[in-house]
Amino acid sequence: MIKKIAILISGHGSNMEAIVKNCKNGNLKNLCEVVLVLSNKKKAEGLKIAKSYGIETSYIISKGKKRKEFDIELINYLKKYDLDYIILAGFMRILSSEFINEYKNKIINIHPADTNKFQGLGAYEWAFENKLIETKITVHFVDTGVDTGEVIGKCKVDLTDAKTLSEIKKRGLKVEHKFYSEMLKKIFEKNS
Ligand code: GRF
């Protein structure tokens, strides 16, 4: 059965774009369908990108709303899509237990560090400041903590001779774009 997924974003959405491409013509073909790309910011660049692929897009503004209030609005909005999975791709919000429980073990996130070593925002900055010669990307299920959910997989990023933050981000994102879809494939096949 083809999984119906929604991708939640807040910004550029380069991971979202990589997943969309893989659903259309890559390793996720016939495994999942992106039925919605939703942002918590009206002006997220990723919304335009998703539209250019013919994907339905929407936004629900989170600014000024309490966490639970926004999440309940989101739960109600998503109901009509009958989703199998919610994929977070640069979605810059912590989800409440109300949301997590509604989609228990169905929410997946990508974190640009080893979740055992660094959680939360600024993972590439952390790698840069600590002059790491290697970092990791983690794909994990989302629970009520910040980057604490069950790990699906981790992948190394070689940072040898990466002298600037932008070089670190570039190398990391290149790995993210490939690895996220690989991990989604693993989960979707396992639960097909
Ligand atoms: C990525 O580094 C992702 O791991 C993190 O936020 C960034 C989002 O980038 N959660 P993009 O919006 O997918 O380009």
Side-chain angles (χ1 to χ4, degrees), residues 89-106:
F91 185 64
M92 306 310 256
R93 277 189 70 81
I94 295 168
L95 292 161
S96 63
S97 53
E98 279 77 10
F99 192 89
I100 308 284
N101 291 332
E102 185 75 24
Y103 289 99
K104 229 179 170 68
N105 302 321
K106 301 285 182 205

Side-chain angles (χ1 to χ4, degrees), residues 10-71:
S10 296
H12 182 78
S14 66
N15 276 289
M16 172 277 297
E17 186 174 11
I19 295 168
V20 165
K21 280 186 183 166
N22 283 329
C23 285
K24 287 194 184 286
N25 266 315
N27 65 344
L28 293 172
K29 195 172 175 182
N30 299 325
L31 275 176
C32 65
E33 184 196 355
V34 183
V35 295
L36 175 72
V37 170
L38 183 139
S39 169
N40 64 317
K41 292 184 180 168
K42 188 179 175 182
K43 290 195 172 149
E45 211 183 316
L47 291 176
K48 281 190 213 144
I49 296 171
K51 256 187 213 149
S52 74
Y53 285 90
I55 309 270
E56 184 175 330
T57 62
S58 191
Y59 63 86
I60 299 178
I61 293 169
S62 59
K63 204 172 177 190
K65 289 177 192 158
K66 293 219 167 76
R67 190 174 311 288
K68 200 172 148 184
E69 181 192 354
F70 171 79
D71 283 9

